[in-house]
């Protein structure tokens, strides 16, 4: 960065804080036209709208001044400090949490907002953020601290080129993630229709067209029968989850943070709710389903924390490791667990826990094998694409994270970075 002149953020931008809701007021899950950006919505350098909350219409007037515009750079200032994102047009007008601040560039001839965002995400920007963080008990990045952050200033054209290269990678990552959400939604919709709502059976029982190819529709019965858990398609069997899963918990090995620090490597280390680290060996290989055993066990909708994982990986002792058996694919198992009400099977008042015995006892309606096979044939391609997209995201993220500090520091110039992108296209 010695090649470029530097300036403090305060010299070319305004810095303003967000605002909490008035005391006693709550955010809404129902869209109101007033999205509210929380720290939890900062995901991999962008603001995720997947779980966005909204300000109720009656509350909005009291905090309407604390909004963001497209191009603003937002940074978290309390709790997890230093998360950074640039506001995209679809979130213009959203309210901002008091635990974040916005940086509004007022001199577009000095700096490009997207370049500023990438600088703050880089190791150099994060170092500047840490240097300007204050507090001994409760750390905080104050607004004046943000203004004091020193930023390198290559030419505007070079800033735009750097931001374009990194943004191209981020755009592809985001596109893959959106596609994956669509692919999973399609698979879940088919699963729910066939195996939860029994739509094909219901349609045939009522003399309606089930809307499926004849060879598939013919596999479904045209009537129901009573069972101990209620009405199910005739000829389908009532089982327990333990009858159709293999539990591989005995192969799990927990590693402490200190042990993991000594054993850094390429293999994901999974906990109950996601990847916690990467280590130098793996315990499992292939497609598996992980289900929270303790801690992160149940979500706000009474569904379990479930992960669909593949490749080579390590799992700690907080997640059950499962594989489908008896003709039930791992994908079928994953989709089944995503919609099951897990609350009746949870124990522990302070620390929620799902033990193996309760896990195995979850009721399971088992269709005939020919229907399971057809379902697998329909969904295999969806999940294969999902896995491919996710693997590509990992590769693109690594490339972005390699290029970011080199471009920001001037160690790597734009033409060289473009050649690297072409080689990895």
């Amino acid at each position: 960065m010695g090649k470029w002149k530097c300036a403090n953020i305060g010299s070319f931008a305004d810095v303003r804080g967000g605002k909490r809701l008035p005391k006693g007021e709550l955010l809404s899950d129902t869209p109101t036209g007033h999205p509210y950006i929380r720290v939890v919505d900062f995901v991999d350098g962008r603001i995720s709208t997947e779980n966005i909350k909204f300000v109720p219409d009656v509350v909005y007037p009291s905090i309407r001044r604390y909004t963001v515009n497209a191009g603003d750079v937002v940074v978290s200032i309390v709790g997890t400090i230093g998360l950074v994102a640039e506001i995209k047009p679809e979130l213009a007008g959203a309210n901002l949490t008091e635990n974040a601040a916005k940086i509004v560039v007022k001199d577009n001839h000095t700096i490009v907002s997207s370049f500023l965002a990438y600088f703050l995400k880089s190791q150099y920007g994060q170092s500047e953020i840490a240097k300007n963080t204050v507090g001994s008990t409760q750390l905080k990045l104050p607004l004046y601290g943000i203004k004091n952050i020193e930023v390198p200033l290559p030419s505007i054209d070079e800033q735009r080129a750097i931001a374009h290269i990194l943004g191209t990678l981020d755009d592809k990552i985001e596109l893959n993630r959106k596609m994956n959400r669509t692919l999973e939604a399609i698979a879940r919709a088919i699963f729910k229709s066939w195996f939860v709502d029994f739509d094909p059976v219901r349609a045939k029982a009522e003399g309606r067209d089930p809307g499926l190819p004849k060879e598939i529709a013919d596999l479904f019965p045209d009537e129901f029968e009573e069972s101990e858990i209620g009405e199910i398609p005739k000829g389908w069997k009532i089982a327990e989850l333990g009858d159709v899963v293999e539990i591989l918990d005995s192969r799990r090995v927990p590693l402490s943070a200190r042990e993991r620090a000594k054993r850094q490597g390429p293999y994901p280390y999974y906990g109950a709710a996601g990847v916690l680290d990467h280590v130098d060996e793996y315990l499992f290989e292939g497609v598996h389903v992980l289900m929270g055993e303790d801690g992160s066990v149940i979500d706000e909708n009474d569904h379990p924390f479930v992960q669909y994982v593949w490749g080579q990986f390590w799992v700690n002792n907080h997640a059950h490791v499962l594989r489908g058996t008896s003709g039930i694919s791992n994908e079928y198992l994953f989709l089944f667990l995503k919609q099951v009400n897990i609350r009746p099977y949870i124990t522990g008042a302070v620390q929620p826990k799902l033990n193996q015995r309760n896990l195995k006892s979850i009721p399971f309606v088992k269709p005939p094998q020919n229907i399971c096979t057809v379902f697998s044939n329909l969904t295999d391609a969806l999940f294969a694409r999902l896995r491919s997209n996710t693997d590509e995201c990992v590769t693109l993220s690594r490339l972005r994270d390699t290029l970011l500090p080199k471009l920001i520091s001037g160690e790597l110039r734009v033409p060289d970075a473009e050649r690297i992108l072409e080689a990895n296209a």
Side-chain angles (χ1 to χ4, degrees):
M1 288 191 293
K3 302 175 183 178
W4 296 322
K5 68 176 183 178
C6 296
N8 294 334
I9 286 178
S11 68
F12 56 73
D14 293 326
V15 180
R16 300 168 190 162
K19 183 73 171 178
R20 72 177 64 185
L21 265 64
K23 187 175 180 180
E25 300 291 350
L26 298 174
L27 293 169
S28 171
D29 291 322
T30 303
T32 63
H34 311 300
Y36 187 87
I37 299 171
R38 303 160 297 164
V39 172
V40 72
D41 298 316
F42 286 71
V43 178
D44 195 26
R46 293 194 173 195
I47 301 300
S48 170
T49 58
E50 191 170 357
N51 297 302
I52 203 84
K53 303 286 187 181
F54 297 87
V55 180
D57 289 330
V58 295
V59 177
Y60 177 72
S62 64
I63 59 171
R64 66 179 183 273
R65 292 171 44 228
Y66 299 88
T67 58
V68 294
N69 292 310
D72 289 351
V73 177
V74 290
V75 55
S76 60
I77 61 176
V78 177
T80 305
I81 296 173
L83 300 175
V84 178
E86 182 183 5
I87 298 299
K88 300 303 180 183
E90 59 267 24
L91 280 173
N95 285 95
L96 183 65
T97 173
E98 77 278 10
N99 294 325
K102 66 176 181 178
I103 304 171
V104 183
V105 172
K106 58 186 180 182
D107 184 357
N108 294 317
H109 300 292
T110 298
I111 196 165
V112 175
S113 293
S114 50
F115 174 82
L116 173 61
Y118 279 116
F119 167 75
L120 292 173
K121 295 173 192 176
S122 75
Q123 64 191 57
Y124 305 107
Q126 291 292 302
S127 176
E128 283 288 314
I129 287 172
K131 188 166 65 178
N132 286 282
T133 296
V134 299
S136 54
T137 305
Q138 175 72 34
L139 294 177
K140 180 173 183 177
L141 176 63
L143 300 186
Y144 68 81
I146 297 174
K147 293 177 182 178
N148 288 338
I149 290 174
E150 194 172 69
V151 182
L153 297 174
S155 71
I156 287 292
D157 287 342
E158 189 150 13
Q159 289 181 41
R160 290 196 180 104
I162 290 171
H164 174 73
I165 289 171
L166 298 171
T168 298
L169 293 170
D170 273 335
D171 288 344
K172 177 57 176 172
I173 292 169
E174 180 63 19
L175 179 63
N176 281 352
R177 288 175 175 163
K178 286 181 178 178
M179 186 180 298
N180 279 359
R181 289 194 289 271
T182 299
L183 292 170
E184 184 177 327
I186 293 171
R188 291 177 72 172
I190 298 172
F191 182 89
K192 184 175 185 294
S193 175
W194 288 16
F195 306 122
V196 178
D197 298 332
F198 309 128
D199 288 335
V201 181
R202 206 168 301 282
K204 292 178 71 174
E206 296 172 359
R208 294 184 286 107
D209 182 356
L212 297 171
K214 184 176 186 305
E215 63 273 17
I216 296 179
D218 287 347
L219 300 177
F220 289 87
D222 58 6
E223 58 183 310
F224 292 90
E225 60 186 10
E226 289 299 323
S227 74
E228 57 265 37
I229 65 169
E231 197 177 56
I232 65 171
K234 186 174 183 178
W236 293 25
K237 306 298 183 185
I238 297 297
E240 292 184 338
L241 189 60
D243 298 324
V244 296
V245 297
E246 180 183 11
I247 301 177
L248 305 170
D249 292 358
S250 62
R251 290 169 51 187
R252 303 174 304 180
V253 178
L255 294 175
S256 67
R258 181 175 296 181
E259 289 173 311
R260 299 199 304 272
K262 295 177 182 178
R263 301 187 54 176
Q264 290 292 290
Y267 303 108
Y269 177 90
Y270 284 95
V275 176
L276 301 176
D277 213 332
H278 287 78
V279 293
D280 58 354
E281 290 185 45
Y282 62 91
L283 301 175
F284 300 92
E285 187 170 14
V287 176
H288 293 70
V289 177
L290 306 184
M291 187 176 184
E293 178 177 359
D294 54 34
S296 297
V297 176
I298 186 169
D299 68 15
E300 59 187 9
N301 297 313
D302 290 341
H303 298 150
F305 280 95
V306 184
Q307 302 172 74
Y308 177 79
V309 301
W310 61 92
Q312 298 168 326
F313 54 92
W314 192 296
V315 183
N316 71 10
N317 59 329
H318 297 297
H320 294 295
V321 184
L322 311 175
R323 283 194 305 213
T325 63
S326 304
I328 298 300
S329 68
N330 291 313
E331 292 73 24
Y332 189 115
L333 176 62
F334 170 71
L335 294 167
F336 169 78
L337 293 174
K338 288 283 282 188
Q339 56 81 42
V340 76
N341 181 350
I342 202 68
R343 185 165 294 282
Y345 307 94
I346 301 297
T347 61
V350 178
Q351 174 82 328
K353 183 176 178 63
L354 176 65
N355 60 44
Q356 281 195 25
R357 179 179 178 181
N358 286 356
L359 170 65
K360 292 178 180 179
S361 72
I362 296 171
F364 186 91
V365 179
K366 191 173 187 304
Q369 185 55 53
N370 53 8
I371 295 180
C372 293
T373 300
V374 169
F375 178 76
S376 292
N377 291 340
L378 285 174
T379 56
D380 279 353
L382 298 177
F383 278 91
R385 184 64 183 273
L386 182 149
R387 294 193 298 270
S388 175
N389 286 344
T390 303
D391 291 341
E392 184 178 51
C393 284
V394 171
T395 300
L396 294 172
S397 294
R398 288 174 179 163
L399 179 58
R400 177 201 61 200
D401 294 344
T402 298
L403 295 178
L404 175 56
K406 294 181 178 181
L407 284 167
I408 291 296
S409 67
E411 176 186 345
L412 182 70
R413 304 316 291 260
V414 168
D416 297 322
E418 290 174 337
R419 282 192 286 271
I420 292 173
L421 282 185
E422 290 174 5
N424 285 272

